[in-house]
Amino acid sequence: QVQLLESGGGLVQAGGSLRLSCAASGRTFGNYVMAWFRQAPGQERDFVAAITTTGGTLKYADSVKGRFTISRENAKKTVYLQMNSLKPEDTAVYYCAARPGIVVPITPNYNYWGQGTQVTVSS
């Protein structure tokens, strides 16, 4: 069982930056693929980024490539999402997700989810 807790959301002007963190409980964080998804009001939950267990493979949605960076620190059981050059269309609730193994889905096919953190980008 893994519990995930996101932090770092907030209100930022367009062009600004935020760093989201997701702290995990449990002893086997290093065995989990970690991902970030986001969901805007009235829309589906969309893939943002994912990282494999050792950080060797990263995946990004086209809409965030070159602006967002996912990383992890297994010793701290934490995954991060550095978000730069933020746009109003990045406004959403951002969710951290985890699944064991090596498969890296870009669909919401993850076993564990955090409660989400709100990111609002003003124009």
Side-chain angles (χ1 to χ4, degrees), residues 88-102:
E89 51 264 44
D90 294 318
T91 295
V93 177
Y94 282 71
Y95 296 92
C96 177
R99 65 173 283 152
I102 60 174

Side-chain angles (χ1 to χ4, degrees), residues 4-7 20-24 34 36 77-80 96:
L4 305 172
L5 182 62
E6 302 97 333
S7 61
L20 305 183
S21 299
C22 173
M34 301 300 296
W36 290 94
K77 299 181 183 178
T78 302
V79 63
Y80 305 98
C96 177

Side-chain angles (χ1 to χ4, degrees), residues 11-61:
L11 173 65
V12 63
Q13 289 188 330
S17 298
L18 283 174
R19 189 174 84 152
L20 305 183
S21 299
C22 173
S25 65
R27 295 176 292 177
T28 57
F29 177 77
N31 294 341
Y32 287 82
V33 170
M34 301 300 296
W36 290 94
F37 285 76
R38 65 187 182 186
Q39 188 167 20
Q43 297 188 17
E44 295 183 349
R45 192 168 295 189
D46 292 330
F47 172 77
V48 175
I51 185 168
T52 50
T53 55
T54 61
T57 298
L58 310 177
K59 288 187 178 181
Y60 295 97

